[in-house]
Structures are given as structure tokens and as C-alpha cells.
Amino acid sequence: METSGYIDELRIVGGDVALDFVNTQDGDPPVECLRAYGDLVAWSVRVGLLAAADEGRLVGEAKARPEEAEAAYRDALGLRETLYSVFRAVAEGRDAAELDLEVLRRYEREALSRGKLAQHKGGFDWEWTDEWDLSRPLWPVAHAATALLTSEDLDRLKLCAGCYWLFLDASKNRSRRWCTMEVCGTHEKMRRYVEKRAARRDSQRD
Ligand SMILES: [Zn+2]
């Protein structure tokens, strides 16, 4: 199964897997990092939602059922758009649209009905390890999104001041403004520096 290679390069900086999923569209103009179902699988492995050992099996299923893989891929893009609009609304202090919440509720119900509450040494987790439905990559994402929406971490949700990615601000004084300092922070500082210099030049001319 083809993957675009964008997934390897993608910055994972959201602080929550649901936000990392939303951030699979990169930059302005947007670069699509999920270009096919294979990218969705590769991303799931990269962020730890799918065991590397299960990757081959899921990719094999997708090859055998290309139409279902395409439908699951389209659903993933739709879910991502829904999550972006919900989380962006929260980050901007607005109410999320009821229509978006209904979509998320539907995914969460589906996720829980297909998942298994499993016990580990340190606690409990929802797992989807026995499922080979091609929608499987969407369930842990939908579940992570509702978990985040109902958690206390939600008040740390922010929108990057440079690129509109979403992230959880884990800094003590909640002062983080950028998805990544090296990318958006530096761009912004450079932009301000250029502006300031231009303004100084203008005022010297007057
Ligand atoms: Zn950014």
C-alpha cells in the first residue's frame, strides 16, 4: 500500500493524539499529509495507536478491499474536519456546533461498541486490537477526542498564533503561543523584526 512519505516528516506536537490527528494538514496553503488510506495507517503506527506488528495485517485488508479503504479514508478526512471545528471553537472560547458534536457522538458510540476495556499493569485502556474493520484507525482518534473534551486539560487547548495548528499548552504559566517555536515562533519573530525595521526606516524618512 502506498504512503506519501509525509507522515515520517510530520511534526507531532499537539500533546494529545486527537490534536495530532487534526494537525495532519500542515501549513498555509495547506499540505495534505493524509493522502490515502495507507497514510492513515502509517500515522496510526507513528503515534502509537496501532501496533507496528498489526500494520501489515491492516494494510493487507485494505488491499483486499480497496473500496472500503477509500470509504474509511474519506471518513477520516470528514472526522478530522469535524474535530478541527470543535477544537478550534473551544480554543477560541466559542460553543462547538451541535452538528459537529452529533458527528463525534456517533463516532464515539461506534468506537466504544467495537472496542474493549482492557486491564494492564498500571491501569485500564480502551483497545481495538481484535478489529480488522478498515475504520479501525478512526475509533481511537474519536475516543481520544471525547476524552480530551471531557478532561480538565481542555482549558490548556490553544490555537497556534502562526499556523492554526492545535496543541495543549503544558507550560507552567501557560505562555506557549506556538505549535513549535522553531517553525512558527521563529517565523513570527522574523516577521516582526522585518516590520519593525521597515517602520524605523519610514520614521527616519519623515
Ligand atoms: Zn504553528
Side-chain angles (χ1 to χ4, degrees), residues 11 160-165 177-180 183-185:
R11 285 171 297 132
C160 175
C163 72
Y164 306 111
W165 268 19
R177 295 187 59 209
W178 319 107
C179 64
T180 329
V183 178
C184 286

Side-chain angles (χ1 to χ4, degrees), residues 116-125 127:
K116 182 176 85 184
L117 182 65
Q119 190 160 198
H120 304 288
K121 257 193 180 154
F124 297 83
D125 255 332
E127 278 183 354

Side-chain angles (χ1 to χ4, degrees), residues 1 37 60-73 134:
M1 170 142 294
Y37 185 79
E61 298 284 335
K63 265 189 192 149
R65 293 178 276 146
E67 279 168 23
E68 278 175 53
E70 180 63 20
Y73 167 67
L134 295 179

Side-chain angles (χ1 to χ4, degrees), residues 37-154:
Y37 185 79
D39 289 337
L40 182 62
V41 173
W43 177 83
S44 301
V45 173
R46 169 117 197 258
V47 298
L49 291 181
L50 183 71
D54 289 346
E55 184 178 10
R57 168 88 190 258
L58 201 57
V59 166
E61 298 284 335
K63 265 189 192 149
R65 293 178 276 146
E67 279 168 23
E68 278 175 53
E70 180 63 20
Y73 167 67
R74 294 281 151 212
D75 284 349
L77 297 189
L79 175 63
R80 186 180 64 183
E81 199 158 314
T82 298
L83 294 183
Y84 186 68
S85 82
V86 169
F87 284 119
R88 181 159 180 169
V90 173
E92 293 180 334
R94 293 180 283 113
D95 283 347
E98 185 56 29
L99 216 63
D100 290 328
L101 289 182
E102 190 45 41
V103 170
L104 181 54
R105 287 184 196 112
R106 191 161 45 77
Y107 272 105
E108 174 71 338
R109 278 195 293 268
E110 169 85 2
L112 295 187
S113 73
R114 307 293 284 269
K116 182 176 85 184
L117 182 65
Q119 190 160 198
H120 304 288
K121 257 193 180 154
F124 297 83
D125 255 332
W126 280 93
E127 278 183 354
W128 289 269
T129 46
D130 300 331
E131 279 283 354
W132 301 105
D133 187 309
L134 295 179
S135 298
R136 173 176 159 180
L138 305 186
W139 300 328
V141 169
H143 185 59
T146 56
L148 177 57
L149 284 172
T150 53
S151 92
E152 288 181 359
D153 285 341
L154 193 63

